[in-house]
Amino acid sequence: MSLSTLKREQIKKDLKNKDFDVVIIGGGITGAGIALDASQRGMKVALVEMQDFAQGTSSRSTKLVHGGLRYLKQLQVGVVAETGRERAIVYENGPHVTTPERMLLPMHKGGSMGKFTTAIGLTMYDRLAGVKKAERKTMLNAKETLEKEPLVKKSGLKGGGSYVEYRTDDARLTIEVMKRAEEKGATIINHTKSVHFTYDSNEQVNGIQVEDQINNETYPVKAKKVINASGPWVDEVRSGDYARNNKQLRLTKGVHIVIDQSKFPLGQAVYFDTEKDGRMIFAIPREGKAYVGTTDTFYNNDKASPLATQEDRDYLIDAINYMFPDVDVKDEDIESSWAGIRPLILEEGKDPSEISRKDEVWEGKSGLLTIAGGKLTGYRHMALEIVDLLSKRLKEQYGMKFAKCATKHLTISGGDVGGSKNFEQFIDQKVEEAKSYQIDEATARHFASKYGSNAEELFKIAQTAQHQDTGLPLDIYTELIYSIQNEMVYRPTDFFIRRTGKLYFKIDDVLNYKEQVIEVMSDLLGYTNIQKEAYTKELQIAIDEAQTGNQQPAEKE
């Protein structure tokens, strides 16, 4: 079927008419991981997402698949060990959406990290996370630290540690996992909200009623089991079930800002502690920009569109100017920003940074399964955990038997590139092949490195593209058509934010081509005048929020 917006009505028909083993509520990385695990075991899987895939937390992270060095400071050894191991699996199964990145950890007099504790911490991290030999930590003196990143504060510099994390495109990781789940037989749809549960005569949940957010049509989806993987909305979704338990979420907000490298010429990713409160934050170079984050504050406002307040922006600007004093960045240098919500399990009396990132699974009296907490990096292991339980319940209640989890070595969509070792060679090979399609090298390299083994599809679209008629550059037109045909893009924000990340890292492309993109989408998808107006306004709000952020009232405690 493929995740094609053009097949949306057929997908809806399947959701209405099939009996599923499980329906998953939530299309972030957790829901996507569950859909892939369950479908590869042979289960009949449905998944609904009320917004776009990854629109909540899964497109608003620090964009790192990392083992969580700072959790070592809090002695969350299990979290570090598990996410460290998972990190390598995520990279191997999708090298096109994950890139190893050397991280510099500078140490200053009076800072929270001393030479001895840093060396021990990084060695433990290497061991717990099973880090490859070539990627293990190295300790640096002050001179070597400044050679790695000359912008780092020289005053009081004692040295640094260098270790490897993995940079990722969180939203693209989510969509590639989702596409592989669909290939394995899952029936998946976005912009479709679960409005209430349905029950059998024994008061066991046996499906959901959903509402299409595009045309307001409601219809039932029948399933033996329901999994609530709705991230920040977990409590809200559970409140529709008669069964209760004492677990609750505590939402915290993390903000990131993006600055052009002409203003902040960062050459090396740096992980440093702030002057104000000693929190550890990242500064990471990416696509000619540097992005910095994250904050960590309790959050009680609108879950659908958390924003960066002026206080958040000031905090991060102060942090940059403290660690990189020669840079002198100002608020007006911020090109864009994003804010995300972490759905953590409530632990009374703890600071936001101290609450465990561990995931938990809850089972209601009604049979509803809920999963919450956890980290982007651990999505595959979280899925394994809840699908093992799901498999057990389906066997007990229906006598059904399924295969064991096999996602450890299962590539995600686009990941069939011969493993991480072969990825660079794969890209070169694709660039060579693109010549026969008359595609220039830069465009071919972009497609191959971003879409991996799906690049061929983009080459075909590019070869037949009538992009000149639309006023769009070839690469933007090609990605737009591909994302409509294969990645269920329905609204301009789906494309500019979650499929391409342009709103954050290439905001000029959004400003220069938004009208043309809306025209192409309107023609292809048959927008009504009302829809076209609404989606144009929605995109403009997203641009304004990314550029200025602070449209939101002060946070309530």
Side-chain angles (χ1 to χ4, degrees):
M1 173 77 74
S2 89
L3 283 185
S4 173
T5 310
L6 307 173
K7 294 176 180 168
R8 191 175 171 86
E9 287 307 312
Q10 179 58 51
I11 293 166
K12 280 167 68 171
K13 204 169 155 187
D14 287 348
L15 287 167
K16 292 171 195 172
N17 296 329
K18 286 183 182 174
D19 278 338
F20 295 95
D21 297 323
V22 62
V23 57
I24 300 155
I25 303 168
I29 190 63
T30 306
I34 295 166
L36 177 55
D37 191 323
S39 57
Q40 66 84 36
R41 296 192 200 201
M43 295 179 193
K44 288 187 192 133
V45 178
L47 180 146
V48 300
E49 163 55 52
M50 71 170 178
Q51 304 182 106
D52 181 28
F53 304 127
Q55 189 169 335
T57 305
S58 299
S59 60
R60 300 165 182 266
S61 72
T62 307
K63 308 189 186 301
L64 288 175
V65 171
H66 67 112
L69 183 63
R70 73 188 177 90
Y71 306 129
L72 208 51
K73 281 172 85 174
Q74 298 158 14
L75 299 177
Q76 293 182 29
V77 174
V79 173
V80 176
E82 185 184 299
T83 50
R85 287 192 298 269
E86 286 299 311
R87 194 177 68 155
I89 296 168
V90 174
Y91 174 43
E92 211 47 58
N93 289 337
H96 60 306
V97 287
T98 317
T99 313
E101 176 98 49
R102 271 265 160 205
M103 199 66 67
L104 180 66
L105 195 64
M107 296 171 298
H108 290 84
K109 270 183 196 140
S112 67
M113 304 289 272
K115 265 191 170 180
F116 181 66
T117 52
T118 300
I120 285 179
L122 288 175
T123 302
M124 268 183 77
Y125 186 67
D126 281 349
R127 292 215 174 127
L128 285 168
V131 174
K132 297 174 194 165
K133 207 170 183 183
E135 295 180 359
R136 283 181 198 156
K137 67 105 172 55
T138 52
M139 297 305 293
L140 311 165
N141 60 31
K143 182 171 174 283
E144 290 165 330
T145 302
L146 288 170
E147 279 167 6
K148 290 259 184 212
E149 183 46 78
L151 294 176
V152 163
K153 182 167 68 117
K154 296 167 188 68
S155 165
L157 183 66
K158 295 190 291 186
S162 172
Y163 72 106
V164 170
E165 293 285 24
Y166 290 70
R167 191 160 50 78
T168 191
D169 184 327
D170 49 6
R172 287 219 58 79
L173 172 64
T174 304
I175 194 71
E176 298 292 31
V177 173
M178 203 72 85
K179 281 153 72 180
R180 183 64 93 209
E182 191 278 334
E183 285 169 30
K184 293 282 176 191
T187 306
I188 293 168
I189 198 162
N190 56 1
H191 299 300
T192 300
K193 184 179 183 178
S194 168
V195 285
H196 64 77
F197 298 112
T198 58
Y199 299 90
D200 65 16
S201 55
N202 298 317
E203 293 195 315
Q204 291 297 291
V205 68
N206 69 351
I208 54 177
Q209 187 80 8
V210 300
E211 180 180 60
D212 188 329
Q213 301 298 282
I214 289 158
N215 65 6
N216 301 323
E217 182 191 355
T218 61
Y219 56 93
V221 180
K222 288 284 168 206
K224 294 179 179 71
K225 286 296 201 183
V226 178
I227 291 180
N228 170 13
S230 55
W233 289 270
V234 151
D235 284 346
E236 218 166 291
V237 170
R238 281 195 310 149
S239 70
D241 183 27
Y242 69 85
R244 294 276 177 270
N245 71 31
N246 57 0
K247 295 280 188 183
Q248 253 185 312
L249 290 190
R250 189 63 160 116
L251 304 181
T252 75
K253 186 182 77 167
V255 168
H256 297 80
I257 58 174
V258 181
I259 297 165
D260 193 81
Q261 288 206 331
S262 60
K263 300 275 185 194
F264 183 13
L266 187 71
Q268 150 84 54
V270 182
Y271 189 31
F272 62 99
D273 47 7
T274 57
E275 181 184 32
K276 192 174 179 182
D277 54 11
R279 276 201 81 247
M280 301 291 293
I281 62 173
F282 292 98
I284 300 170
R286 175 172 166 164
E287 298 175 52
K289 312 289 176 193
Y291 71 96
V292 181
T294 176
T295 59
D296 206 350
T297 50
F298 286 129
Y299 184 78
N300 288 311
N301 280 334
D302 177 19
K303 293 196 272 274
S305 52
L307 300 173
T309 63
Q310 193 58 50
E311 196 182 344
D312 296 324
R313 291 161 71 100
D314 292 346
Y315 176 90
L316 293 171
I317 289 285
D318 289 348
I320 295 168
N321 289 329
Y322 164 68
M323 187 48 69
F324 309 98
D326 299 340
V327 172
D328 190 29
V329 294
K330 298 179 176 63
D331 188 76
E332 55 266 31
D333 296 325
I334 297 174
E335 277 193 12
S336 65
S337 64
W338 69 88
I341 303 171
R342 306 175 195 90
L344 306 176
I345 315 298
L346 177 64
E347 293 179 57
E348 290 293 349
K350 286 203 171 182
D351 259 359
S353 299
E354 292 170 345
I355 297 178
S356 173
R357 266 49 178 175
K358 180 135 182 53
D359 59 281
E360 289 199 28
V361 172
W362 312 317
E363 192 170 10
K365 202 188 283 184
S366 62
L368 174 67
L369 296 172
T370 294
I371 187 161
K375 286 162 53 60
L376 178 79
T377 311
Y379 85 87
R380 189 201 70 88
H381 198 270
M382 287 169 71
L384 181 156
E385 197 182 335
I386 196 164
V387 180
D388 274 353
L389 177 60
L390 171 67
S391 184
K392 189 179 168 190
R393 293 291 178 262
L394 288 172
K395 188 181 177 188
E396 288 167 355
Q397 293 164 20
Y398 300 93
M400 303 172 84
K401 282 189 182 175
F402 298 101
K404 284 197 159 41
C405 175
T407 54
K408 192 172 181 178
H409 303 293
L410 179 65
T411 57
I412 60 177
S413 183
D416 301 317
V417 297
S420 61
K421 284 194 182 85
N422 190 54
F423 189 47
E424 290 308 316
Q425 195 183 329
F426 168 86
I427 294 170
D428 292 341
Q429 184 191 326
K430 285 291 164 200
V431 168
E432 195 54 40
E433 281 174 30
K435 288 176 183 169
S436 63
Y437 291 99
Q438 278 82 53
I439 298 169
D440 69 272
E441 182 173 340
T443 304
R445 195 165 286 282
H446 168 66
F447 289 163
S449 55
K450 182 173 170 182
Y451 295 91
S453 51
N454 291 323
E456 190 75 29
E457 295 298 313
L458 286 105
F459 291 171
K460 286 174 187 166
I461 293 166
Q463 191 184 30
T464 56
Q466 303 296 308
H467 68 284
Q468 296 92 339
D469 308 343
T470 65
L472 286 171
L474 180 64
D475 60 334
I476 295 178
Y477 178 84
T478 303
E479 288 185 275
L480 179 60
I481 300 302
Y482 176 80
S483 66
I484 289 170
Q485 290 177 350
N486 300 278
E487 298 183 342
M488 233 170 207
V489 156
Y490 195 89
R491 301 180 182 194
T493 48
D494 299 346
F495 177 69
F496 279 126
I497 302 175
R498 289 164 293 279
R499 300 305 180 277
T500 62
K502 285 184 184 295
L503 186 76
Y504 303 144
F505 298 106
K506 286 190 174 172
I507 198 163
D508 285 350
D509 278 357
V510 186
L511 299 172
N512 294 335
Y513 298 113
K514 60 181 194 281
E515 283 89 3
Q516 295 92 317
V517 163
I518 290 166
E519 280 308 318
V520 171
M521 292 185 77
S522 183
D523 288 350
L524 253 179
L525 302 175
Y527 288 169
T528 62
N529 289 338
I530 292 170
Q531 280 179 313
K532 192 172 175 181
E533 199 178 309
Y535 300 158
T536 302
K537 190 178 171 188
E538 180 183 57
L539 179 59
Q540 192 53 53
I541 289 169
I543 292 166
D544 294 344
E545 288 175 355
Q547 288 181 315
T548 58
N550 46 334
Q551 325 261 313
Q552 193 157 292
E555 261 119 56
K556 299 173 289 199
E557 257 309 312

Short mmCIF file of all heavy atoms in Angstrom, two decimals, residues 102-105 107 118-119 122 126 133-141 144-145 148 160-164:
data_model
loop_
_atom_site.label_atom_id
_atom_site.label_comp_id
_atom_site.label_asym_id
_atom_site.label_seq_id
_atom_site.Cartn_x
_atom_site.Cartn_y
_atom_site.Cartn_z
N ARG A 102 31.71 13.32 17.30
CA ARG A 102 32.63 13.48 18.44
C ARG A 102 32.15 14.65 19.30
O ARG A 102 31.86 15.72 18.79
CB ARG A 102 34.05 13.77 17.96
CG ARG A 102 34.87 12.51 17.73
CD ARG A 102 35.71 12.13 18.93
NE ARG A 102 36.09 10.71 18.86
CZ ARG A 102 36.39 9.96 19.91
NH1 ARG A 102 36.34 10.45 21.13
NH2 ARG A 102 36.72 8.70 19.76
N MET A 103 32.06 14.42 20.58
CA MET A 103 31.56 15.42 21.51
C MET A 103 32.70 15.87 22.41
O MET A 103 33.46 15.03 22.90
CB MET A 103 30.46 14.75 22.35
CG MET A 103 29.51 15.65 23.06
SD MET A 103 28.42 16.62 22.02
CE MET A 103 27.37 15.44 21.24
N LEU A 104 32.84 17.16 22.62
CA LEU A 104 33.88 17.70 23.49
C LEU A 104 33.27 18.10 24.84
O LEU A 104 32.25 18.79 24.88
CB LEU A 104 34.53 18.91 22.83
CG LEU A 104 35.66 19.60 23.60
CD1 LEU A 104 36.88 18.70 23.74
CD2 LEU A 104 36.07 20.90 22.88
N LEU A 105 33.92 17.64 25.91
CA LEU A 105 33.45 17.95 27.26
C LEU A 105 34.53 18.79 27.94
O LEU A 105 35.48 18.25 28.50
CB LEU A 105 33.25 16.62 27.99
CG LEU A 105 32.46 16.55 29.28
CD1 LEU A 105 31.02 16.92 29.04
CD2 LEU A 105 32.53 15.14 29.85
N MET A 107 36.58 21.06 30.63
CA MET A 107 36.60 21.10 32.10
C MET A 107 37.27 22.39 32.55
O MET A 107 38.37 22.72 32.09
CB MET A 107 37.38 19.90 32.65
CG MET A 107 36.74 18.57 32.31
SD MET A 107 37.81 17.18 32.73
CE MET A 107 39.22 17.43 31.70
N THR A 118 35.79 13.08 35.41
CA THR A 118 35.44 13.00 33.99
C THR A 118 36.04 11.75 33.37
O THR A 118 35.36 11.02 32.63
CB THR A 118 35.92 14.26 33.24
OG1 THR A 118 35.30 15.40 33.82
CG2 THR A 118 35.55 14.20 31.76
N ALA A 119 37.32 11.50 33.66
CA ALA A 119 38.00 10.32 33.10
C ALA A 119 37.29 9.03 33.55
O ALA A 119 37.03 8.14 32.73
CB ALA A 119 39.46 10.29 33.52
N LEU A 122 33.71 8.88 31.89
CA LEU A 122 33.73 8.52 30.46
C LEU A 122 34.16 7.05 30.27
O LEU A 122 33.68 6.38 29.36
CB LEU A 122 34.66 9.45 29.68
CG LEU A 122 34.13 10.88 29.47
CD1 LEU A 122 35.18 11.76 28.79
CD2 LEU A 122 32.84 10.89 28.66
N ASP A 126 31.92 4.31 28.46
CA ASP A 126 32.39 3.44 27.37
C ASP A 126 32.07 1.97 27.65
O ASP A 126 31.62 1.23 26.78
CB ASP A 126 33.91 3.59 27.19
CG ASP A 126 34.29 4.86 26.41
OD1 ASP A 126 33.37 5.49 25.86
OD2 ASP A 126 35.48 5.21 26.37
N LYS A 133 35.82 0.37 19.89
CA LYS A 133 37.18 0.80 20.22
C LYS A 133 37.51 2.17 19.62
O LYS A 133 38.02 3.07 20.30
CB LYS A 133 38.18 -0.25 19.70
CG LYS A 133 39.47 -0.28 20.49
CD LYS A 133 40.32 -1.48 20.11
CE LYS A 133 41.57 -1.50 20.98
NZ LYS A 133 42.45 -2.61 20.61
N ALA A 134 37.18 2.35 18.34
CA ALA A 134 37.53 3.59 17.64
C ALA A 134 36.78 4.81 18.19
O ALA A 134 37.17 5.95 17.94
CB ALA A 134 37.22 3.44 16.15
N GLU A 135 35.70 4.55 18.93
CA GLU A 135 34.87 5.66 19.41
C GLU A 135 35.03 5.91 20.91
O GLU A 135 34.30 6.70 21.49
CB GLU A 135 33.40 5.38 19.07
CG GLU A 135 33.14 5.36 17.58
CD GLU A 135 31.68 5.09 17.23
OE1 GLU A 135 30.87 4.90 18.15
OE2 GLU A 135 31.35 5.07 16.04
N ARG A 136 35.98 5.23 21.54
CA ARG A 136 36.13 5.40 22.99
C ARG A 136 36.70 6.76 23.34
O ARG A 136 37.28 7.44 22.50
CB ARG A 136 37.00 4.28 23.56
CG ARG A 136 36.21 2.98 23.67
CD ARG A 136 37.01 1.83 24.24
NE ARG A 136 36.34 0.57 23.91
CZ ARG A 136 36.94 -0.60 23.84
NH1 ARG A 136 38.23 -0.70 24.07
NH2 ARG A 136 36.26 -1.69 23.54
N LYS A 137 36.59 7.11 24.60
CA LYS A 137 36.97 8.44 25.07
C LYS A 137 38.48 8.68 24.96
O LYS A 137 39.28 7.76 25.03
CB LYS A 137 36.51 8.64 26.51
CG LYS A 137 37.22 7.75 27.55
CD LYS A 137 38.23 8.54 28.36
CE LYS A 137 38.86 7.86 29.53
NZ LYS A 137 39.52 6.62 29.43
N THR A 138 38.83 9.94 24.76
CA THR A 138 40.23 10.36 24.91
C THR A 138 40.23 11.58 25.81
O THR A 138 39.33 12.43 25.74
CB THR A 138 40.89 10.73 23.55
OG1 THR A 138 40.05 11.67 22.88
CG2 THR A 138 41.08 9.52 22.65
N MET A 139 41.24 11.67 26.67
CA MET A 139 41.36 12.83 27.57
C MET A 139 42.34 13.82 26.95
O MET A 139 43.35 13.43 26.34
CB MET A 139 41.84 12.39 28.95
CG MET A 139 40.86 11.45 29.67
SD MET A 139 39.17 12.10 29.82
CE MET A 139 39.44 13.47 30.96
N LEU A 140 42.01 15.10 27.07
CA LEU A 140 42.79 16.16 26.41
C LEU A 140 43.31 17.16 27.44
O LEU A 140 42.63 17.42 28.43
CB LEU A 140 41.91 16.91 25.39
CG LEU A 140 41.08 16.06 24.41
CD1 LEU A 140 40.02 16.91 23.74
CD2 LEU A 140 41.99 15.43 23.35
N ASN A 141 44.47 17.76 27.14
CA ASN A 141 44.91 18.87 27.99
C ASN A 141 44.28 20.16 27.47
O ASN A 141 43.56 20.15 26.46
CB ASN A 141 46.45 18.96 28.06
CG ASN A 141 47.08 19.18 26.68
OD1 ASN A 141 46.48 19.82 25.81
ND2 ASN A 141 48.29 18.66 26.48
N GLU A 144 45.06 20.97 23.75
CA GLU A 144 44.37 20.06 22.82
C GLU A 144 42.87 20.36 22.77
O GLU A 144 42.24 20.26 21.72
CB GLU A 144 44.58 18.60 23.26
CG GLU A 144 46.00 18.11 23.07
CD GLU A 144 46.29 16.81 23.83
OE1 GLU A 144 45.67 16.58 24.89
OE2 GLU A 144 47.15 16.04 23.35
N THR A 145 42.32 20.74 23.91
CA THR A 145 40.89 21.09 23.97
C THR A 145 40.60 22.29 23.07
O THR A 145 39.63 22.30 22.30
CB THR A 145 40.46 21.38 25.43
OG1 THR A 145 40.75 20.24 26.23
CG2 THR A 145 38.98 21.70 25.54
N LYS A 148 40.64 21.54 19.41
CA LYS A 148 39.38 20.94 18.96
C LYS A 148 38.31 22.02 18.74
O LYS A 148 37.55 21.96 17.79
CB LYS A 148 38.86 19.94 20.00
CG LYS A 148 39.69 18.69 20.12
CD LYS A 148 39.05 17.53 19.41
CE LYS A 148 39.83 16.26 19.61
NZ LYS A 148 39.75 15.37 18.45
N GLY A 160 39.92 18.62 28.73
CA GLY A 160 38.61 18.18 28.24
C GLY A 160 38.58 16.68 28.01
O GLY A 160 39.60 16.00 28.07
N GLY A 161 37.41 16.19 27.78
CA GLY A 161 37.22 14.80 27.40
C GLY A 161 36.56 14.78 26.04
O GLY A 161 35.77 15.66 25.71
N SER A 162 36.93 13.80 25.22
CA SER A 162 36.31 13.67 23.90
C SER A 162 35.69 12.27 23.81
O SER A 162 36.34 11.28 24.12
CB SER A 162 37.38 13.85 22.81
OG SER A 162 36.84 13.55 21.55
N TYR A 163 34.41 12.22 23.44
CA TYR A 163 33.73 10.92 23.33
C TYR A 163 32.70 11.03 22.21
O TYR A 163 32.47 12.11 21.66
CB TYR A 163 33.09 10.55 24.67
CG TYR A 163 31.87 11.36 25.03
CD1 TYR A 163 30.59 10.81 24.95
CD2 TYR A 163 31.97 12.69 25.45
CE1 TYR A 163 29.46 11.55 25.26
CE2 TYR A 163 30.85 13.44 25.76
CZ TYR A 163 29.60 12.86 25.67
OH TYR A 163 28.48 13.59 25.96
N VAL A 164 32.08 9.92 21.86
CA VAL A 164 31.18 9.91 20.69
C VAL A 164 29.71 9.80 21.10
O VAL A 164 29.35 8.99 21.94
CB VAL A 164 31.55 8.76 19.72
CG1 VAL A 164 30.49 8.56 18.64
CG2 VAL A 164 32.90 9.04 19.06
#
